[in-house]
Amino acid sequence: MTSSHSLEAANTSSATTQASGMGPIVLDRGVAFRVWAPHANSVSVVGDFNDWDGKASPMESSPSGDWYAYVEDAKPGDQYKYEISNGEKTFCRIDPRVREVTNSVGNGIIHQPAFDWQDDEFVMPSWNELVIYETHIGTFSRSEDDRVGTFEDYITKFDYLKRLGVNALQIMPLAEFAGDYSWGYNPAHPYAVETAYGGPVGFKTFVREAHKAGFAVILDVVYNHFGPSDLDLWQFDGWSENGKGGIYFYNDYRSTTPWGDTRPDYGRGEVRSYIRDNAMMWLEDFHVDGLRYDMTLYIRSVDASGQQEIPEGWGLTQWVNREVHAYKPSAITIAEDLQNNAYLTKPESEGGAAFSTQWDAAFVHPIRDVITQSDDAGRDMNKVRDALYHAYDGDAFRRVIYTESHDEVANGKARVPTEIDSDDPDDWYSQKRSTLGIALVLTAPGIPMLFQGQEFLVDGWFQDGDELDWDQEGEHEGIVRLTSRLIDLRLNRDGVTKGLTGQRINVFHVNHRDKVVAFQRSYDGGQGDDVVVIANFANQHFEQYEFGLPASGQWRRRFSSDRRIYSNDFAGQASGDIEGRSQPYDGLPSRGRIELPPYTVLIYSQDAGEEGSTHDQ
């Protein structure tokens, strides 16, 4: 209902003493209400507590345009709205800062802010040790066929996700939207949690239980537009210009976005605070561990060209990121911009927007292109090399890398297995090249991200009306095992692949003719640290393939994507452990020789010592 500092004790014995905060403010006795409506002639709060009588609880105005009332009979659980008069018009609006609604076109509900967090002291993993799982509450798991999934449904799958090995859940938007079925990128009430998912208590419970299970929670937020439907913010107090949105929105050409005429007015102080306070609400009151901002290109500029800049939009992201990181230094903020703009992740002192990291178009687009090409001859190893090397300001973890996201598997595009073979997305080619992509995501420098179901090769495309096909999890349980093994290696859980958590990469082998790439990952370097990854992008089996190694001696195979335990269609023909010889090759001091199957990734490292003898599992 309001930010945490709005819940400070207030002296309710005097009607002249006003509680701080915006929206409904729950006090020891009664509820105070404050709303911004600068063009209203009068405002009153109506609800269950006064029989919806517009004359019973009039609000007092202030020079700032705020209206305030204290209602002794109001309490959590009561439904309410604001009755606003502007000239000859009188109408009702849902509170812009309401935390709970009956539905997107119903009434606001006074939410009880108290919640038992059970000593939640979750520690966010460092960013070089994150594996993100992007997911959608409404489709991930459903207990009933005729309704969307809920927070409670999702919690039942935590054990599965723990076995998979991911440690951060990136939740697609859950601010109240029109209807029950949606991706969530049409927020009607930005402060309220989607009722169909379980509302604010359901989400708090979800975060608490996610933390207990070891998952960070990163929430997708939409600040580039609101609505456009079921939007009580539209002409909220009756004022507008040019037939546009009124006090919360630009009322000129800057209002236009691809999703509606509803871009917030980033230059207006009250709107800036509305967005800032919303971001902080998710951290302070819901304990989330980070925010992913939807399409920041349309916050910083009017259109996709990026040429019509909105300086106050850029300034707003700087302010919000500054506030977030000051409140919770471990929190991660992620920009989806997809223009390869390094200034998004530069510090504010250098003119940057100070995001922690950003989705990397320079990885997803070339890698998807390479693995979905129908002909091996069309696979460009330079694209692979460049995608592996790409970084913002030389920092590997300022980018999030992936081959599937909600955008990449819809809107005219499909899941990777379907892009590879739309007629038979379960065939050998789809399995081999899809897992090639997963392996690159989990071994390249960056913060890796999977999209729900990618680990069991869900095909088709993402739709908000269809539950994730869990039958495919049973059909492809081996691919789940393959993905889990890669995650263990990526997070150095065996203590012999520390290099995969490091900044450094050396793409030392690029074979354009045979379509093979090999690279070295390292943190500090040396045994138990250096990791060598070799990837075959062609349908060609090599009996003896030679490549460089950072050192001589025994190199243990930690992973082969060709193992039969991952799929009965795989051959299991790759070499096991190999001996590195002290003969320079590929610019490295040593060399090795392996049997390399088609469309296969192999991972090698050396034991750190007597204890480090974990073989490929």
Side-chain angles (χ1 to χ4, degrees):
M1 278 163 276
T2 188
S3 58
S4 58
H5 48 264
S6 302
L7 304 176
E8 296 171 355
N11 179 5
T12 61
S13 63
S14 172
T16 61
T17 301
Q18 294 194 0
S20 62
M22 298 293 293
I25 307 156
V26 177
L27 305 172
D28 291 339
R29 187 174 72 252
V31 177
F33 300 85
R34 181 177 285 107
V35 64
W36 176 55
H39 299 280
N41 297 124
S42 66
V43 182
S44 60
V45 57
V46 296
D48 294 336
F49 39 80
N50 61 14
D51 295 326
W52 299 86
D53 181 356
K55 297 180 180 179
S57 304
M59 304 182 78
E60 298 178 1
S61 64
S62 69
S64 67
D66 290 346
W67 295 78
Y68 178 86
Y70 164 65
V71 182
E72 187 172 2
D73 294 331
K75 63 186 182 304
D78 285 347
Q79 297 182 27
Y80 78 104
K81 279 187 171 182
Y82 295 121
E83 184 177 283
I84 300 173
S85 293
N86 182 316
E88 296 180 355
K89 298 179 294 183
T90 298
F91 45 88
C92 285
R93 294 281 191 257
I94 294 177
D95 194 327
R97 296 196 182 225
V98 72
R99 298 288 183 89
E100 188 173 1
V101 295
T102 57
N103 58 67
S104 61
V105 293
N107 297 321
I109 299 174
I110 301 171
H111 175 60
Q112 171 56 259
F115 181 76
D116 183 6
W117 283 100
Q118 299 177 2
D119 299 320
D120 176 34
E121 295 181 353
F122 179 77
V123 178
M124 175 80 162
S126 58
W127 299 341
N128 71 320
E129 294 181 347
L130 279 178
V131 177
I132 296 173
Y133 191 83
E134 189 193 11
T135 188
H136 179 252
I137 297 296
T139 59
F140 184 68
S141 178
R142 293 178 178 169
S143 58
E144 299 179 24
D145 293 337
D146 60 349
R147 67 174 179 85
V148 298
T150 66
F151 298 122
E152 186 176 359
D153 294 334
Y154 198 110
I155 289 170
T156 66
K157 294 292 187 180
F158 278 173
D159 285 344
Y160 163 80
L161 291 169
K162 287 173 67 175
R163 292 193 300 273
L164 179 63
V166 297
N167 58 12
L169 306 178
Q170 182 178 304
I171 310 299
M172 289 170 65
L174 44 75
E176 184 75 28
F177 45 73
D180 291 345
Y181 294 86
S182 173
W183 288 19
Y185 297 96
N186 55 331
H189 302 287
Y191 278 71
V193 177
E194 173 59 34
T195 305
Y197 291 169
V201 174
F203 185 47
K204 288 178 181 179
T205 303
F206 175 89
V207 175
R208 183 187 68 195
E209 297 308 306
H211 284 171
K212 287 181 182 179
F215 303 118
V217 177
I218 302 166
L219 182 63
D220 209 334
V221 291
V222 183
Y223 298 142
N224 51 38
H225 75 288
F226 294 140
S229 61
D230 294 3
L231 192 62
D232 276 33
L233 291 177
W234 184 262
Q235 299 180 0
F236 179 76
D237 64 359
W239 173 87
S240 68
E241 290 181 341
N242 304 315
K244 296 193 182 269
I247 58 174
Y248 280 92
F249 303 96
Y250 286 117
N251 286 261
D252 56 21
Y253 71 96
R254 292 171 294 180
S255 68
T256 304
T257 78
W259 311 281
D261 209 27
T262 57
R263 180 181 281 115
D265 185 345
Y266 305 127
R268 193 162 190 170
E270 293 87 351
V271 180
R272 293 170 68 85
S273 293
Y274 182 76
I275 293 172
R276 177 267 178 202
D277 292 353
N278 182 265
M280 295 305 295
M281 174 192 76
W282 299 116
L283 276 77
E284 293 174 351
D285 299 339
F286 289 90
H287 289 207
V288 304
D289 305 289
L291 301 172
R292 180 263 190 193
Y293 295 47
D294 180 61
M295 210 51 184
T296 53
L297 174 63
Y298 290 99
I299 298 176
R300 64 182 180 86
S301 63
V302 174
D303 58 25
S305 72
Q307 300 304 307
Q308 288 184 294
E309 295 182 350
I310 306 177
E312 56 264 36
W314 186 267
L316 175 66
T317 59
Q318 290 177 318
W319 180 37
V320 175
N321 285 330
R322 184 166 66 247
E323 295 279 290
V324 166
H325 295 138
Y327 174 75
K328 190 173 187 178
S330 65
I332 191 168
T333 56
I334 304 171
E336 180 204 18
D337 200 88
L338 303 179
Q339 306 301 304
N340 297 322
N341 183 347
Y343 275 87
L344 286 158
T345 45
K346 283 181 181 290
E348 192 177 344
S349 61
E350 297 178 21
F355 283 95
S356 309
T357 188
Q358 61 177 301
W359 279 17
D360 190 16
F363 183 92
V364 59
H365 296 152
I367 295 301
R368 275 181 69 102
D369 174 74
V370 168
I371 63 178
T372 59
Q373 287 282 332
S374 59
D375 189 337
D376 287 347
R379 301 188 211 289
D380 187 344
M381 296 300 98
N382 284 330
K383 288 185 176 180
V384 176
R385 178 201 61 206
D386 294 347
L388 291 169
Y389 271 133
H390 189 251
Y392 297 101
D393 293 324
D395 188 333
F397 302 106
R398 290 187 183 179
R399 69 173 186 164
V400 175
I401 55 176
Y402 55 96
T403 55
E404 290 193 356
S405 72
H406 68 270
D407 280 329
E408 296 295 335
V409 299
N411 299 321
K413 295 174 281 189
R415 296 277 196 162
V416 169
T418 299
E419 294 281 2
I420 293 171
D421 190 338
S422 59
D423 294 328
D424 188 2
D426 282 330
D427 71 1
W428 179 83
Y429 291 96
S430 291
Q431 291 184 58
K432 290 292 285 184
R433 301 214 304 269
S434 294
T435 54
L436 188 60
I438 292 171
L440 286 174
V441 166
L442 288 163
T443 56
I447 299 174
M449 182 180 76
L450 303 171
F451 185 63
Q452 63 177 34
Q454 182 176 3
E455 71 278 10
F456 48 85
L457 303 186
V458 166
D459 53 24
W461 56 90
F462 174 68
Q463 301 180 79
D464 54 38
D466 294 340
E467 182 186 14
L468 192 61
D469 187 355
W470 285 95
D471 289 340
Q472 289 187 268
E473 189 267 334
E475 295 165 6
H476 290 300
E477 60 180 353
I479 306 299
V480 178
R481 189 180 302 119
L482 175 151
T483 308
S484 179
R485 175 60 181 156
L486 283 166
I487 293 171
D488 284 347
L489 293 170
R490 172 62 182 78
L491 298 177
N492 192 30
R493 286 173 170 152
D494 296 333
V496 291
T497 51
K498 186 179 180 181
L500 293 180
T501 69
Q503 290 276 359
R504 294 156 58 184
I505 182 171
N506 174 22
V507 185
F508 60 81
H509 184 97
V510 181
N511 183 339
H512 297 286
R513 183 190 65 188
D514 294 323
K515 310 300 182 185
V516 178
V517 169
F519 56 95
Q520 173 189 0
R521 294 290 315 284
S522 55
Y523 191 97
D524 296 315
Q527 292 183 339
D529 185 322
D530 281 321
V531 176
V532 171
V533 180
I534 183 163
N536 182 1
F537 289 85
N539 186 15
Q540 182 175 357
H541 187 100
F542 299 96
E543 294 290 343
Q544 297 287 319
Y545 194 91
E546 199 161 42
F547 61 102
L549 287 171
S552 60
Q554 189 175 56
W555 286 81
R556 295 194 181 276
R557 191 186 80 188
R558 309 299 180 183
F559 173 82
S560 165
S561 65
D562 192 54
R563 296 188 67 190
R564 290 184 62 84
I565 63 168
Y566 300 142
S567 172
N568 290 330
D569 295 331
F570 296 172
Q573 294 179 322
S575 292
D577 298 347
I578 59 173
E579 195 72 22
R581 292 170 291 146
S582 296
Q583 298 174 350
Y585 197 74
D586 285 335
L588 296 176
S590 300
R591 68 177 67 192
R593 186 177 294 161
I594 57 172
E595 183 174 1
L596 181 61
Y599 303 131
T600 293
V601 172
L602 303 178
I603 301 175
Y604 286 91
S605 72
Q606 293 186 301
D607 287 344
E610 293 299 322
E611 299 296 325
S613 58
T614 304
H615 294 271
D616 187 13
Q617 297 175 4

